[in-house]
Amino acid sequence: MLYRSFAFICLCVAFLCSSCGQRAPVHDSRFQTEDYLIDYDVSPEYVNAEGTFCRYESTYYDIIGQWILYYDAAGGQWDKLCGRAECSHEDKSCNAFVDPLTFGIQIYDHKLYWMSGSVLYCADLDGSHREQVQQLGNMDGLNPRFYIHRGYVYTSRIGTEMSDGANAYTVEVMRYELGQEETTEKCIYKEYFEYLPMYFCRFDGNQIYILVDVPQGMYGKAEKCMRNLYAYDVSEQQIEQIWSTEESWSANNIQIRDHEIYFLDLRLDFLSTEGGIVRYSQ
């Protein structure tokens, strides 16, 4: 009996020690602030460009074709981002070569990240030490995006599924713990729509804003659009709808300044160039 009790105590101690060593990012003291964290927050350049390029100091990074390129604005130089002096930079063995289905390129904690299909990769900022980080969930569909923010990877996409016996569009936002292959994915937002929606994700400290514009008809014919804005609290891990309205406009971009959200809107009529800026503040 004494032996069993001792063995049980040892197992409990081992479990507690392993749990403490794997503290979730949401509990990390570095992230308990609403201030912008330059090394751990999604940068404004990245989200405004919808993941097509990113910047670190005077160097810009981009993916063109099947190559990761860099441009040093200070020195006026550009090249393929490889980091291997002996490489010819001409074939798949080059660190700068990526798959055709690659999208998004983001800097996080002094590393460069990108996704090929549903696989997340990273490398040093000079292109060296390239490696696979983790396998994520399904990224098939329209407008696939990924964002690394305060220890988590968030993915978003427009998909298609059957709903009530009919084809429907979906907007889906998922969360994964960065670098944890076995981490269970968490869906923080998913909704079904009859018509093709548009969406944007924006990050502000421990708040994630998800805007979904849903035309009340086919694009090019719809005169109205339902606008729904959601706020996901990273610390509380809860999402709520904070705004819903009907508009004759559709968002073309979103920016956050001083915790206020600005929408760059365009009329639903594709032939119209009329636009405007709308500010939302809680």
Side-chain angles (χ1 to χ4, degrees):
M1 185 69 178
L2 181 61
Y3 173 77
R4 289 182 179 177
S5 298
F6 179 75
F8 177 75
I9 292 172
C10 290
L11 287 173
C12 288
V13 171
F15 174 77
L16 288 172
C17 289
S18 63
S19 298
C20 291
Q22 296 179 358
R23 180 176 56 179
V26 70
H27 303 304
D28 193 321
S29 61
R30 294 174 299 174
F31 306 146
Q32 303 306 309
T33 176
E34 294 306 315
D35 294 336
Y36 178 69
L37 304 175
I38 190 170
D39 291 330
Y40 303 108
D41 285 8
V42 178
S43 72
E45 293 92 349
Y46 180 79
V47 292
N48 289 337
E50 293 299 332
T52 56
F53 75 89
C54 60
R55 177 178 66 89
Y56 182 77
E57 295 179 346
S58 65
T59 303
Y60 292 80
Y61 300 87
D62 196 0
I63 295 176
I64 298 180
Q66 291 183 252
W67 299 97
I68 300 175
L69 305 178
Y70 76 90
Y71 172 70
D72 182 357
Q77 298 176 333
W78 71 273
D79 207 340
K80 295 174 181 175
L81 186 75
C82 178
R84 293 166 48 221
E86 73 281 5
C87 182
S88 65
H89 313 306
E90 296 296 336
D91 56 35
K92 294 181 179 180
S93 66
C94 178
N95 279 356
F97 185 87
V98 294
D99 294 332
L101 297 178
T102 297
F103 61 92
I105 183 165
Q106 181 188 348
I107 294 169
Y108 179 84
D109 195 15
H110 305 284
K111 288 276 191 178
L112 190 67
Y113 289 83
W114 66 93
M115 281 193 70
S116 292
S118 59
V119 180
L120 182 67
Y121 292 89
C122 79
D124 289 347
L125 296 181
D126 65 355
S128 61
H129 301 105
R130 170 175 168 160
E131 61 180 334
Q132 178 176 321
V133 178
Q134 65 195 100
Q135 176 83 37
L136 302 177
N138 182 15
M139 292 301 294
D140 294 340
L142 301 174
N143 297 345
R145 304 279 188 266
F146 82 90
Y147 316 86
I148 307 177
H149 186 78
R150 301 195 175 194
Y152 289 106
V153 184
Y154 297 88
T155 63
S156 59
R157 68 187 180 102
I158 298 174
T160 55
E161 294 183 16
M162 293 293 293
S163 177
D164 297 328
N167 283 324
Y169 294 101
T170 64
V171 174
E172 179 182 271
V173 183
M174 308 294 294
R175 191 197 74 180
Y176 307 82
E177 192 170 335
L178 176 63
Q180 301 297 320
E181 189 77 57
E182 303 302 323
T183 300
T184 302
E185 64 183 10
K186 177 181 176 64
C187 179
I188 65 173
Y189 172 82
K190 185 174 184 179
E191 198 166 350
Y192 296 82
F193 306 98
E194 180 180 0
Y195 297 106
L196 180 64
M198 292 293 291
Y199 79 91
F200 295 89
C201 296
R202 294 294 184 264
F203 298 76
D204 185 32
N206 285 309
Q207 294 290 320
I208 302 174
Y209 296 99
I210 303 169
L211 174 77
V212 183
D213 276 354
V214 187
Q216 304 303 290
M218 304 232 4
Y219 267 107
K221 297 182 179 179
E223 296 181 354
K224 294 291 184 179
C225 174
M226 281 302 302
R227 169 164 297 174
N228 297 311
L229 181 63
Y230 301 86
Y232 177 76
D233 188 308
V234 175
S235 300
E236 299 295 331
Q237 302 186 59
Q238 293 181 349
I239 191 169
E240 65 172 328
Q241 186 180 60
I242 59 175
W243 189 31
S244 182
T245 185
E246 188 176 68
E247 299 279 357
S248 299
W249 312 78
S250 181
N252 189 55
N253 204 339
I254 304 176
Q255 293 191 18
I256 297 178
R257 292 289 184 272
D258 297 325
H259 307 296
E260 293 184 325
I261 307 173
Y262 294 83
F263 305 90
L264 174 59
D265 285 346
L266 295 176
R267 281 209 175 274
L268 288 172
D269 183 358
F270 286 168
L271 299 179
S272 174
T273 58
E274 185 180 357
I277 296 176
V278 177
R279 182 182 67 184
Y280 173 84
S281 58
Q282 298 191 63

